[in-house]
Amino acid sequence: MTLGRVAELLASPGLALFAQPRLLAELDQVKASGLSGCVLDETECPMRPAGSATATLPKPEIRLVAASGECECAHDVRRDAAGGWSADAPRSGPSSGGPRHYAISDDRLLLRIQAPESAVPSVNSALQLDALRVLESSTAGGIDWLVSLDEEEEEEVVERLECGVQGEAFRRGERRSVLRISRVPAGPGTALVLPEACRVGVCTPGALPRGTEVLWRAGLGARSATPLERCIAPRPFWVTAGRAADACLVARSLPRGAAWAAHLRASPLPTPSELESLLEAGCGGVAVRWEHGGRRLSCLLSRNVS
């Protein structure tokens, strides 16, 4: 397995530093800071229309998607007699219950689809047979799915989604349904933080755009994969915690020698002694929100961590 850029940083001596800007306007500050990379939470950032241009982020980009959910690839996708890939259709989708075959190509992209729970049949119908559900998550507002499809199908799929979901709401006499579709940037220089339920999916050829790096999300209270499951698609871990002590506690459950980064969401910034404790626990990187003082932490790391 070829290491991605983030994995290389986490395997290097010392602590790599990543910052999570709160606003797009802060990106220039992050880029000028000389940090190791940028963190963007797809569940918090403003939605972008599918196919739209996005702000240029410093490399590498670490993108956080939903923290939990199911992966269609983890259950259904398998080799067929012809040597291709097939899977059972979703129960509520087209050709329900029958096998469907995937047209895998090198030009894959990821769409994030947010819609009300009542729109699931329309979403499944719009995605039809070739879209692969990399992550199916549920929120208080409905569904939040990460879907892989061939790039040439994007325009047609988006049109079917808009017509199907919005049209069904109109037919029922309801107000316009809340549907949001955005392309998730992926490929070389990008790392996606996915729940461990996606392990088999990551191994499915064509499930992710070529060159996309993957990190596994871990945290207090999160469901961990079994030791046998963790033999599939070994990747570095992204430990989400409020404090350094919590991150070190979660790290005890990781496989021995695993590379991992600590995403510290709480303020104040970690102290020099906390950074040393992270290093002793095998941590290879620290991520903080930019408004918590990214520049000050950068100076702190350069002075106190070798």
Side-chain angles (χ1 to χ4, degrees):
M1 178 187 68
T2 302
L3 289 179
R5 179 58 181 149
V6 175
E8 291 177 349
L9 289 169
L10 299 185
S12 301
L15 287 173
L17 176 62
F18 307 94
Q20 179 182 352
R22 180 182 55 181
L23 304 170
L24 291 178
E26 294 176 336
L27 285 176
D28 289 337
Q29 301 174 28
V30 176
K31 285 187 285 186
S33 65
L35 305 182
S36 300
C38 182
V39 179
L40 182 62
D41 194 333
E42 292 289 336
T43 64
E44 294 180 358
C45 69
M47 298 303 303
R48 298 178 300 273
S52 67
T54 59
T56 300
L57 297 178
K59 302 291 185 179
E61 306 167 11
I62 300 175
R63 294 184 173 269
L64 313 180
V65 296
S68 62
E70 296 294 331
C71 175
E72 177 186 54
C73 315
H75 305 288
D76 301 323
V77 177
R78 62 192 66 188
R79 288 283 188 186
D80 56 28
W85 293 93
S86 66
D88 291 338
R91 288 189 294 272
S92 55
S95 303
S96 180
R100 55 194 179 130
H101 302 274
Y102 290 98
I104 301 298
S105 77
D106 289 335
D107 299 318
R108 302 291 282 188
L109 59 81
L110 294 176
L111 286 185
R112 182 185 178 202
I113 301 170
Q114 295 172 281
E117 191 73 33
S118 60
V120 169
S122 297
V123 172
N124 277 324
S125 179
L127 294 177
Q128 295 190 359
L129 302 183
D130 287 332
L132 196 61
R133 294 152 181 79
V134 175
L135 181 61
E136 297 179 348
S137 299
S138 297
T139 66
I143 64 171
D144 191 347
W145 289 4
L146 189 65
V147 174
S148 167
L149 70 156
D150 281 340
E151 188 171 5
E152 64 181 15
E153 298 176 348
E154 178 185 15
E155 184 176 351
E156 182 179 350
V157 168
V158 170
E159 183 178 353
R160 289 201 303 261
L161 283 167
E162 292 175 341
C163 292
V165 176
Q166 308 292 14
E168 179 63 17
F170 178 79
R171 187 186 68 79
R172 294 180 180 181
E174 302 171 353
R175 69 180 182 180
R176 188 175 178 85
S177 178
V178 178
L179 171 67
R180 291 175 177 154
I181 306 169
S182 60
R183 184 192 288 198
V184 177
T190 301
L192 292 179
V193 179
L194 297 172
E196 292 194 79
C198 298
R199 279 184 173 270
V200 175
V202 168
C203 292
T204 302
L208 297 177
R210 183 170 50 184
T212 301
E213 190 175 1
V214 172
L215 307 176
W216 299 123
R217 185 187 289 267
L220 292 173
R223 186 263 180 189
S224 298
T226 66
L228 182 60
E229 288 174 326
R230 282 181 169 167
C231 293
I232 302 172
R235 300 288 193 277
F237 288 85
W238 186 262
V239 176
T240 302
R243 300 174 303 126
D246 295 331
C248 292
L249 182 62
V250 174
R252 295 179 183 177
S253 66
L254 303 181
R256 183 183 299 272
W260 61 280
H263 187 186
L264 307 180
R265 292 181 173 271
S267 186
L269 293 173
T271 64
S273 62
E274 289 176 323
L275 294 175
E276 290 293 347
S277 68
L278 287 170
L279 271 174
E280 292 174 0
C283 181
V286 175
V288 296
R289 290 184 179 272
W290 182 253
E291 66 267 27
H292 288 173
R295 290 184 179 181
R296 287 190 290 120
L297 181 58
S298 181
C299 295
L300 187 67
L301 283 170
S302 63
R303 290 199 307 267
N304 295 281
V305 179
S306 58

